[in-house]
């Protein structure tokens, strides 16, 4: 009997090396990839205007939009194909006529996952869409911030179509 238990324990030990690292598996979307300027090869910084279109939504919808941006679902599309909330404010960032479009999703998020009460805080995901002078999207990036972040840290250099 003891011999069978030892044999079973050693088989489990050997097979455990074949299992995937469960700690590395995550359900979170991958972080937003930076967008590279096609002309200079430099990484473009996230642009956060003080005044941009807010879409109040549920957290899961914001996460889906983040995934679409990260997966490249907007690449190659024309900016006019998107909803008006995604193309209500922009700025030119080079002399070739390329533009950065900005909007954000605003949602409730639990204050602390371990708490049992219903305390929530406002969060926002800011999106930047990068278009060439013809309006073709060649980049999308996003970042998460606390609600109202744009009022204190945003810029006033925006334009409307």
């Amino acid at each position: 009997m003891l011999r069978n238990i030892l044999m079973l324990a050693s088989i489990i030990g050997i097979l455990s090396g074949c299992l995937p690292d469960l700690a590395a598996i995550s359900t979170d979307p991958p972080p937003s990839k930076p967008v590279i300027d096609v002309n200079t090869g430099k990484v473009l910084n996230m642009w956060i205007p003080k005044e941009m279109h807010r879409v109040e939504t549920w957290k899961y919808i914001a996460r889906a939009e983040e995934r679409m941006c990260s997966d490249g679902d907007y690449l190659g599309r024309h900016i006019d194909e998107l909803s008006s909330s995604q193309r209500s404010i922009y700025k030119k960032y080079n002399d070739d006529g390329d533009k950065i479009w900005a909007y954000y999703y605003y949602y409730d998020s639990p204050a602390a996952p371990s708490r049992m009460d219903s305390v929530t805080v406002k969060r926002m995901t800011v999106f930047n869409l990068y278009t060439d002078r013809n309006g073709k999207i060649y980049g999308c990036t996003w970042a998460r911030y606390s609600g109202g972040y744009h009022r204190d840290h945003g810029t006033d250099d925006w334009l409307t179509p």
Side-chain angles (χ1 to χ4, degrees):
M1 177 77 163
L2 183 59
R3 188 177 76 173
N4 290 342
I5 292 173
L6 289 174
M7 176 109 44
L8 182 61
S10 58
I11 290 173
I12 291 172
I14 291 170
L15 291 177
S16 67
C18 299
L19 295 174
D21 181 11
L22 297 179
I25 298 174
S26 173
T27 58
D28 288 338
S32 180
K33 295 177 185 152
V35 174
I36 308 296
D37 186 310
V38 293
N39 299 316
T40 65
K42 294 182 180 179
V43 173
L44 296 172
N45 294 327
M46 177 63 79
W47 174 52
I48 303 172
K50 282 187 181 184
E51 301 290 331
M52 64 181 141
H53 196 294
R54 173 175 82 176
V55 179
E56 189 131 7
T57 190
W58 292 284
K59 183 179 175 180
Y60 75 91
I61 293 175
R63 295 298 169 268
E65 183 83 6
E66 291 170 3
R67 259 189 309 281
M68 289 174 61
C69 181
S70 293
D71 291 347
D73 291 351
Y74 295 121
L75 302 183
R77 294 178 66 185
H78 194 276
I79 192 70
D80 290 341
E81 296 174 26
L82 304 183
S83 73
S84 60
S85 65
Q86 294 169 304
R87 53 185 171 85
S88 63
I89 189 169
Y90 73 93
K91 79 172 186 174
K92 294 179 182 178
Y93 75 89
N94 65 22
D95 293 335
D96 292 336
D98 292 354
K99 298 175 183 173
I100 303 173
W101 301 80
Y103 63 99
Y104 71 99
Y105 276 32
Y106 198 62
Y107 50 90
D108 291 329
S109 186
S114 61
R115 294 184 63 167
M116 297 305 286
D117 57 18
S118 61
V119 174
T120 59
V121 294
K122 287 291 188 182
R123 301 284 298 162
M124 61 191 289
T125 300
V126 177
F127 295 92
N128 282 175
L129 294 169
Y130 300 85
T131 63
D132 64 15
R133 68 175 165 262
N134 298 317
K136 183 178 176 183
I137 300 170
Y138 66 83
C140 182
T141 190
W142 56 268
R144 295 178 192 158
Y145 300 99
S146 60
Y149 182 87
H150 63 294
R151 287 190 297 269
D152 296 329
H153 303 283
T155 64
D156 290 322
D157 57 346
W158 50 273
L159 301 166
T160 55

